[in-house]
């Protein structure tokens, strides 16, 4: 049976900043530049979640993309959309909201419920702007 | 001589929220929904500025797009990019940061310096997300 | 007060064909080409609805885009999405499903409920493929 | 010699539905939702075909993309474009037109003629909507 | 009868530079910047041609977009695609290849044959890069 | 520690042609088609550079994307943007400017300075047109 990869895109809009509280404003600015502006900024993030598995002989689906979409919405989108990532998101508490860390955190939220569908989470891709994106494959 | 319209795209990432301080949290939620979440959210805004005029016989340009771009950068982008629109932007002080109001405010910042180049500001288009955008033609 | 134009994008996927029952298959093929293939084809249509008005002093909105979106969904998207335009859509019965005719029909469905919000329907833009689109301004 | 991957995009517009004839309408609706509407729907599919190989010292090409494009057109696009996938496409007869199954079927049509050019088919990626896509790597 | 606007997108890739032979290299660099580099540069141009008219009662078409596409191809694309605009294009001889001048020249090539179809050329939009574009409406 | 992939997009506009000086014009046309037109053509190239590594505990970054961007700009973009690839680019001298060869050459320019940041160059993806692209992974 063939192994096929299916990808679902979701989107969210959120505020964040890159500032370490244990650093001076000068050091934050030197390392993080305008991303450390104190009053937050924000992005329209695009999220692609890729799952792999064998298409079902009955439905032709690796997994029902509406179920995948529902898991992404419940576990990630509803918690981050129109929120402040640094203040409002339980799974980011105490973490630094670089795109890298966000992608890893999303993977950790998604892997168990997605794999419970009988397929395998393969990649979380997160785009912060049209010029910058991150991919995480779980290890 | 022909009249030609030229458009420059610029982008910025900013935080904002839609909340009236003179309304209860309940009324803000009823009117503005998740856009009124107290800890801000944000967007990758796309901005298209359209200018009209007659191409110069010497250069073929209605206006030098790098000058147009420089004006947009100095008067708008540098003030809003990686900022909080409601807290940090001088020309939005006391204004409500709907996309409509932002487009009108950008027009007001841009019209004088752009028209001083010998062309005419025609349209400010501002896209908040891939589903929502606003255009303003100056009246 | 400024007049501002706001645009909402919605999408739908539908089947249709371009075939006149009163023409021979040969004439249909000569005029409509592969669009007249008898067993239907389909598209991911993109729809942009533009509304104009004065931003409210209270909300900064020309109109609540979620209300606009709700009207588009109820009057258009729910009737055409994952449907056969030629067989399933009440407001297209007896009409030919060219993109031009679709845009005019969508306008006719949307103008009354959108204008009842206190703003004015300005443009219906419908894209059939990345190379082909249509705009209708109501007259 | 380096191994390089080259990708060609092609597009087609087609109708299909997801309905099992051996299921009731209710079960089809429960499993496939609006994709099971009886009168078909359709999509603008985007297809990316990736081929790998060593660039020729003479031409700098892994393979002539116009030859790759010609094979994709002859073996896939001409058979599915402006067609009904479930009724008109020889290589989909008796198969269920999930995006997964389509990608595998396209691979099976393309692998032999593409590999005969002296390069190796690496990936077939098929996008059904901007939110949903599938990749197949041949095993 | 409604007036509807239909738009066809075409693309081409071409080389050009912005240099006046009657200026010094220094003045060319001061005015045109890197666009005046002597050995040419190039772009993937995107061209949108918009035509207006009343949809035919018989076909639902303002004009057959394949005829419009054919005119654009014959009169413009075949002459500029994979060419040097400044050296190879008859209708640009002696003209300066600013995007403004190109859009006006394309209008002049297209207006007569398009209007002969019984519709009216409305707009030529030419995009040089994702940040820069030009529109011309014929006067 | 997780391994994460980060990608930076940059763009440039350049002229080139595909012509072998040791072939006749007829053979060049037979093999390279319109890409062999003698007076050059050009493209808006898009370049994605992917780097892998472990996010820093201190910054959350695999690497500072502004440093990555700076390297790409200094080593590649500044040398090819608004240039003629075949005439002006030192690292392409004596090489044939197929997209495949460009991607390999870019890798060779970028690998040393990027890897010196403590991360690892993973992929150079170069898109010539929206239909044609190339990826190189360094071997």
């Amino acid at each position: 049976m063939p192994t096929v990869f299916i990808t679902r895109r979701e989107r969210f809009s959120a505020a964040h900043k890159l500032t370490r509280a244990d650093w001076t404003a000068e050091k934050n600015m030197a390392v993080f530049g305008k991303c450390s502006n104190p009053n937050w900024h924000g992005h329209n993030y695009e999220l692609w979640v890729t799952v792999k598995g064998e298409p079902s002989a009955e439905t032709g689906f690796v997994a029902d993309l509406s179920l995948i979409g529902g898991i992404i919405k419940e576990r990630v989108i509803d918690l981050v959309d129109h929120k402040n990532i640094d203040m409002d998101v339980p799974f980011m508490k105490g973490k630094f909201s670089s795109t890298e860390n966000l992608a890893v955190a999303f993977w950790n939220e998604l892997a168990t419920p997605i794999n419970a569908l009988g397929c395998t989470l393969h990649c979380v891709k997160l785009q912060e702007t049209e010029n910058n994106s991150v991919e995480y494959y779980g290890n």
Side-chain angles (χ1 to χ4, degrees), chain A:
Chain A
M1 289 292 288
T3 296
V4 179
F5 298 75
I6 63 173
T7 298
R8 176 75 170 192
R9 184 187 75 139
E10 300 284 345
R11 294 173 290 138
F12 63 96
S13 296
H16 85 132
K17 64 179 172 182
L18 295 180
T19 317
R20 288 186 63 101
D22 57 340
W23 286 1
T24 62
E26 288 71 27
K27 182 161 182 189
N28 275 303
M29 184 55 65
V31 175
F32 298 117
K34 60 188 178 183
C35 296
S36 71
N37 281 341
N39 293 328
W40 320 97
H41 63 280
H43 299 290
N44 299 330
Y45 290 91
E46 291 194 64
L47 172 63
W48 290 266
V49 174
T50 301
V51 167
K52 72 176 173 183
E54 297 180 358
S56 152
E58 205 168 37
T59 65
F61 289 168
V62 165
D64 183 336
L65 271 175
S66 67
L67 291 182
I68 301 286
I71 289 170
I72 301 170
K73 193 164 168 11
E74 181 190 342
R75 300 298 179 105
V76 173
I77 303 298
D78 285 350
L79 299 174
V80 295
D81 187 35
H82 284 74
K83 296 288 174 61
N84 184 312
I85 295 170
D86 301 316
M87 298 177 71
D88 297 331
V89 180
F91 60 74
M92 290 303 293
K93 281 289 157 61
K95 294 180 190 162
F96 204 66
S97 59
S98 71
T99 316
E100 288 91 330
N101 287 352
L102 275 170
V104 173
F106 290 0
W107 175 284
N108 291 337
E109 296 302 306
L110 292 171
T112 300
I114 283 178
N115 294 348
L117 295 178
C119 52
T120 305
L121 181 60
H122 174 68
C123 181
V124 167
K125 178 176 177 178
L126 182 61
Q127 181 178 290
E128 194 188 59
T129 73
E130 67 185 47
N131 291 337
N132 298 341
S133 65
V134 157
E135 288 160 278
Y136 181 54
Y137 295 85
N139 48 53

